[in-house]
Amino acid sequence: MALRSYGGRHGALAAAILLPLSLTSPCLAHAASGGLFIVASQERALVAPPRLLADVPALFPQELRDGVTAGLVRLELTLDSAGEVRMAQVVSHAHPLFERAALDAAMALRFAPALAAGTPVASQVAYSYRFEASAPPEPVTAPMAVPPAAPEPPGKRDDIEGREGGAYETRVVAAKEQQEAVRVSLEGGEVREVPGTMGDPFRVVMLMPGVGSVASGLGYPVVRGASPASTAYLLDGVRVPILYHLFLGPAVIHPDFIDGLEFYPGAPPTRFGRMLGSVVEGRVRGPQGEAARLSLYADLLNAGAFVELPLESLGAELSTAGRFSYSPWLLSMAAKSDSPGSADFVLDFWDYQVRLQKSLAGGALRLLGFGSSDRMGTQSDNPALFTSMQGVLFHRLDLRYRHPLAEGELEVGGTLGLDRVSMESNAPQEGPARFAMEELSGRARLLWNGPIAPALSLSAGGDMELRRATAELQGITGGIADSPLLAQGPRSDAILSGGFTELEWAPDGKRWRISPGLRLDDYYLAPATHRAALEPRLAVRRSLGSEVTLKGGAGLYHQAPTTLISLPVVDVASLQYGLQEAWQFDIGAEYTPLRWLELRLDLYYNPMIRTLELNPFAPKVNGDTNGTSGNTGGDGLPRVGDLFDGERFRSSGSAYGLELMLRKRLGGAWFGWISYSLQRSTRLTTYTRRGPEGEPLGSAVAYLPYVFDQTHLFNAVLSLKLGAWTLGGVLHFNTGRPESGVMTSTTMRPGSDAGGRPVWIKSDPSGVGRLPSFLRFDLRIARAFTFDAMQLEAYLDLMNATFSSEVLAIDYEGGTLHGGGALRAIPQGFPVVLPILGVKATWLP
């Protein structure tokens, strides 16, 4: 007969095992339909029940949000000897929509198999899904992974119990009705199992609608035509200053430390401030019950660990994670030269994260810390060798306390930060040189949200941040040394403060949801630079039954001047040039014909009133494509000091487009989405007009395509679970960026000189061409092996399995100016392939 394991939320596992005596054999075991038959004569078989390894959140049926409020679905799951769910049956009935949601999710659960005499066997286990239409007031021991103003995602796992022998229940909390005009929530496998992302949740954003890229392989998104630095990255409300190791590798946050992502591509709500574009917020994994958890992984790039355990003596929960890169260390060792004329190559990184949470005085206290370090370059003890080393380091320590207050919740918090960017070199003829910028920061914040009337709620808060930047300069003249930051002295102090208030009005039976808000920010840079920004914002949603929702949003946004990728100190030092300013307008619709299927349509228009995008690769004259590849010195490298020459980067522009997304939500055996974006982004540019022979005809001003403009973007994502195997693929397509001479080549056209010989002629910048389109396919294959209390997963994640080359420039060869011969336009590019072969082990003691 079958080995059955039953249990409920408040009871221990009750296992009933019938061991018939064999009359013909002293020990016999065989499998038959209906379960595993265990036969023994002299001894009882030693039995260990199945153990939950990986849960899957169910989706709360949207059709029931305003009707049935709760339900409990009890299931009986049939597991095979590998711990895979082969069948799920309802044993206590609830609303049919609850039952369907529970059955879909249960088929993707993963268990360590039951053991009989040490041998994995088939079994049956009881499992329950408890559905609640809205989240109750948060108990003091509840997770603090989501800031109080952020709505909880659909199907968020609140607690999984598998203790004292294996009683399992998942509590499914329906999402708070979305108030933002546009937001995408990603959960579980959607942020860790997408092919081509190296398992990093933040890289999944690159496959969202409206998201372009600087180049294939770089994880910094260009969202709706804004500079990559215009997107704010947060971890539970705390800014992440540098998102990727070495600006290319894995993210600086361990994947298991993140429970999910919230992506706001446009019109973010008022709690997000001092940013011009989109917001990507990672939610820290909250307490998962009383069981400890350990995971280890290693791949070709790095190794990492995640530990989660209860501290019963303190009444607290602790989780910590970290990783370090060893393959770059191996490469540097392989490149280490025994020759006295060569320096040693260095390439390494590490990161860490820690969360400690405890109940305190009727509230919840949480400590969150994370940091990262990267170093790249050459080093040597021989002063006669040329060496160069670059480093980036940051630390964050955040303390947060939340407590119920006046039918709502009050949050008080503070964050300490340290950022450092350094460049060191040694030239035999010039001696050592060092440039370093360091920034210390401290931020205090206060937030309250809760209901103030039957159909009206309020969220209000404020924060103040102090920043002190110091610069160290040794042996460097010109360029960096001439920057205004250093001219002001070795120290730069700034005070950034802001406050916001936002109402949420849900009249007419929640069919309307109207959220007006207002934000005020103040920027002060000692001794005399002062900027202020008032930002009105509005979000409106109108429900047309249970399947269709119309939505719209608008807001004004400001940000300090930005570089291509956010760097510490630079945004503070550049405040003297003013603030960037842009409006964001978004209208759209959401259609949910099935509870697990959704279709989104968004139209947006973002007039950029004032931009200050500091680009060290831009030509000296803004927009002048006279063949220069950037503002460089005699060595061909960008002059970092010119980043502080903000006047030449001042511009304006606009971005507009259409976004479509068809998504099958997480749950069951597969998930995925298809997204398409049609978009344009322009900047007001001053350039030199060109005649028929390429001769200068004077200056002109026009709105030209932005350097990162990509007209068409398409993504198709699919992840499919087939028993112990997981297969996934991503198809990505984008049209090329403009060949404007800014971080690309300059468009040339064939012509002839006075003697009739072929030559390349520079095109007028108003008619530049486009680089070729790019298509790639990403692949992920994983195989899970389940044991008593461990799951082992081997995986191959391959970005660009097609070995496609993205063209980043055109090399125009031939003609009388290039040694004669036929004219040749040679695409410049190479395939960026990121193969990740790794193993991950997860233990649940």
Side-chain angles (χ1 to χ4, degrees), residues 5 39 75 85 110 125 164 174 233 317 321 329 334 417 470 523 530 551 605 666 694 699 736 765 824 826 836:
S5 299
V39 183
L75 305 174
V85 178
R110 292 183 180 179
V125 62
E164 300 297 333
Y233 300 95
E317 294 268 357
W329 175 77
T470 58
Y523 304 75
H530 184 270
K551 58 185 183 178
Y605 174 59
L666 182 67
S699 297
R824 299 180 301 276
I826 303 175
I836 304 297

Side-chain angles (χ1 to χ4, degrees), residues 480-566:
I480 295 175
D482 296 333
S483 71
L485 170 65
L486 300 178
Q488 294 174 0
R491 192 179 76 196
S492 178
D493 295 329
I495 302 176
L496 309 177
S497 58
F500 74 91
T501 181
E502 184 172 275
L503 293 171
E504 182 180 342
W505 184 37
D508 194 20
K510 296 184 179 181
R511 285 179 293 179
W512 282 97
R513 191 169 293 273
I514 304 172
S515 302
L518 186 67
R519 184 176 182 92
L520 176 63
D521 282 292
D522 184 87
Y523 304 75
Y524 174 74
L525 175 64
T529 302
H530 184 270
R531 312 289 180 186
L534 184 65
E535 301 176 348
R537 303 182 192 179
L538 174 67
V540 178
R541 297 178 67 86
R542 174 69 166 95
S543 175
L544 303 179
S546 61
E547 297 181 351
V548 179
T549 299
L550 304 180
K551 58 185 183 178
L556 182 61
Y557 299 82
H558 295 82
Q559 186 174 356
T562 53
T563 52
L564 286 176
I565 298 175
S566 295

Side-chain angles (χ1 to χ4, degrees), residues 207-555:
L207 302 173
M208 292 289 102
V211 179
S213 65
V214 177
S216 179
L218 292 178
Y220 289 91
V222 178
V223 183
R224 293 187 171 182
S227 168
S230 296
T231 296
Y233 300 95
L234 302 100
L235 184 64
D236 249 17
V238 182
R239 286 285 184 104
V240 181
I242 301 294
L243 187 60
Y244 292 104
H245 287 296
L246 306 173
F247 301 101
L248 177 65
V252 298
I253 307 297
H254 192 291
D256 285 352
F257 204 74
I258 297 178
D259 198 43
L261 284 184
E262 301 293 336
F263 176 45
Y264 304 84
T270 55
R271 66 180 178 276
F272 300 113
R274 298 193 279 275
M275 35 69 63
L276 195 68
S278 60
V279 173
V280 181
E281 183 169 30
R283 298 192 308 273
V284 173
R285 180 184 172 94
Q288 302 298 305
E290 299 176 6
R293 173 188 172 94
L294 168 65
S295 69
L296 301 174
Y297 83 89
D299 57 36
L300 298 178
L301 293 178
N302 59 100
F306 173 82
V307 180
E308 180 178 77
L309 47 92
L311 303 177
E312 297 181 0
S313 60
L314 300 177
E317 294 268 357
L318 173 67
S319 61
T320 182
R323 51 187 171 179
F324 68 94
S325 173
Y326 56 80
S327 57
W329 175 77
L330 294 176
L331 290 174
S332 67
M333 293 297 292
K336 186 179 179 67
S337 174
D338 294 330
S339 171
S342 301
D344 298 330
F345 179 68
V346 176
L347 179 68
D348 60 44
F349 63 79
W350 52 260
D351 62 60
Y352 70 91
Q353 303 87 44
V354 61
R355 176 193 63 85
L356 179 64
Q357 182 167 311
K358 176 179 173 56
S359 304
L360 182 65
L365 183 70
R366 193 209 63 188
L367 181 69
L368 174 66
F370 58 96
S372 168
S373 173
D374 299 86
R375 291 196 315 145
M376 180 176 64
T378 56
Q379 66 182 10
S380 175
D381 295 331
N382 187 349
L385 297 180
F386 176 81
T387 59
S388 176
M389 182 72 68
Q390 295 78 44
V392 179
L393 176 143
F394 77 84
H395 299 282
R396 290 294 184 273
L397 184 64
D398 180 75
L399 185 65
R400 172 183 301 175
Y401 182 67
R402 292 164 62 174
H403 194 282
L405 178 65
E407 298 186 6
E409 185 178 63
L410 176 70
E411 177 187 313
V412 180
T415 307
L416 298 177
L418 168 66
D419 302 82
R420 182 182 298 128
V421 177
S422 63
M423 292 175 282
E424 301 178 5
S425 66
N426 178 74
Q429 303 299 324
E430 301 176 5
R434 172 180 171 80
F435 170 64
M437 295 186 295
E438 183 174 282
E439 182 176 276
L440 295 174
S441 61
R443 177 179 176 232
R445 64 186 183 275
L446 183 69
L447 173 67
W448 182 86
N449 71 91
I452 57 176
L456 189 64
S457 61
L458 171 69
S459 179
D463 74 304
M464 176 176 288
E465 184 174 6
L466 306 179
R467 296 188 183 180
R468 169 163 293 183
T470 58
E472 178 184 350
L473 187 67
Q474 298 175 357
I476 298 178
T477 59
I480 295 175
D482 296 333
S483 71
L485 170 65
L486 300 178
Q488 294 174 0
R491 192 179 76 196
S492 178
D493 295 329
I495 302 176
L496 309 177
S497 58
F500 74 91
T501 181
E502 184 172 275
L503 293 171
E504 182 180 342
W505 184 37
D508 194 20
K510 296 184 179 181
R511 285 179 293 179
W512 282 97
R513 191 169 293 273
I514 304 172
S515 302
L518 186 67
R519 184 176 182 92
L520 176 63
D521 282 292
D522 184 87
Y523 304 75
Y524 174 74
L525 175 64
T529 302
H530 184 270
R531 312 289 180 186
L534 184 65
E535 301 176 348
R537 303 182 192 179
L538 174 67
V540 178
R541 297 178 67 86
R542 174 69 166 95
S543 175
L544 303 179
S546 61
E547 297 181 351
V548 179
T549 299
L550 304 180
K551 58 185 183 178

